[in-house]
Amino acid sequence: MIMEKLFNKVFGQLESGQTNRIDKKLERGKEIDVGLMNSKRYFGKGSNGLFIDDDAVSGSLDEYEGEVSASIPSTAIKQVNYDPKTGVCNVLYVGGNKWYRFENMSPQQFKSFMDASSKGRYVNNVMRVKNRAKGY
């Protein structure tokens, strides 16, 4: 993880949680490379008062419930490249070597993507429906 962060600093890639830097690049119309995609997971208190991962107990993750959140690496999305001038967002999945192209993405939608608690769900439920490029 330390080497990834160093690589991203050297080559100008961002973490999805660096909203201030992403916002500044969007305001200037600059291309954005996000090399560390993070998702949020929420934890709640169990019957013994200790914080537990709801997913481990219930078998399904409700990412909107729980008193405490934690940022974890996305299990679905490895890297993203977005150009606000063209509205094109390219997505590389974890374990994949092919970039997927999504079109007509506004800067506001890209911000929503970066703010989404689950990047993989956002791609599947929003971008694949609204922004999918033909042939991808």
Side-chain angles (χ1 to χ4, degrees), residues 1-53:
M1 181 66 96
I2 292 172
M3 289 303 292
E4 267 185 289
K5 287 187 178 196
L6 179 62
F7 176 84
N8 289 335
K9 270 189 176 177
V10 171
F11 292 100
Q13 290 182 333
L14 302 169
E15 292 182 47
S16 59
Q18 293 177 308
T19 54
N20 289 339
R21 290 184 64 197
I22 290 170
D23 288 348
K24 286 179 184 176
K25 284 186 171 251
L26 287 173
E27 287 171 11
R28 292 189 219 126
K30 300 279 186 178
E31 191 173 317
I32 299 170
D33 288 310
V34 182
L36 288 173
M37 299 296 290
N38 294 316
S39 294
K40 289 181 190 161
R41 294 296 179 260
Y42 289 85
F43 301 87
K45 286 185 181 177
S47 58
N48 61 1
L50 298 174
F51 284 100
I52 56 171
D53 180 349

Side-chain angles (χ1 to χ4, degrees), residues 5-126:
K5 287 187 178 196
L6 179 62
F7 176 84
N8 289 335
K9 270 189 176 177
V10 171
F11 292 100
Q13 290 182 333
L14 302 169
E15 292 182 47
S16 59
Q18 293 177 308
T19 54
N20 289 339
R21 290 184 64 197
I22 290 170
D23 288 348
K24 286 179 184 176
K25 284 186 171 251
L26 287 173
E27 287 171 11
R28 292 189 219 126
K30 300 279 186 178
E31 191 173 317
I32 299 170
D33 288 310
V34 182
L36 288 173
M37 299 296 290
N38 294 316
S39 294
K40 289 181 190 161
R41 294 296 179 260
Y42 289 85
F43 301 87
K45 286 185 181 177
S47 58
N48 61 1
L50 298 174
F51 284 100
I52 56 171
D53 180 349
D54 289 338
D55 188 34
V57 175
S58 68
S60 65
L61 179 64
D62 184 350
E63 64 192 48
Y64 303 106
E65 291 183 7
E67 296 111 30
V68 176
S69 68
S71 182
I72 63 167
S74 174
T75 57
I77 309 300
K78 181 177 182 176
Q79 192 172 347
V80 170
N81 172 274
Y82 173 67
D83 186 346
K85 292 177 183 168
T86 63
V88 172
C89 182
N90 295 298
V91 174
L92 181 64
Y93 287 90
V94 171
N97 58 5
K98 178 183 176 187
W99 286 87
Y100 290 84
R101 180 182 172 104
F102 297 91
E103 298 175 339
N104 302 316
M105 180 179 262
S106 69
Q108 293 79 15
Q109 185 185 357
F110 184 74
K111 285 176 68 170
S112 292
F113 177 36
M114 290 298 101
D115 290 339
S117 57
S118 173
K119 305 305 187 274
R121 287 185 196 158
Y122 190 95
V123 169
N124 285 329
N125 297 333
V126 178

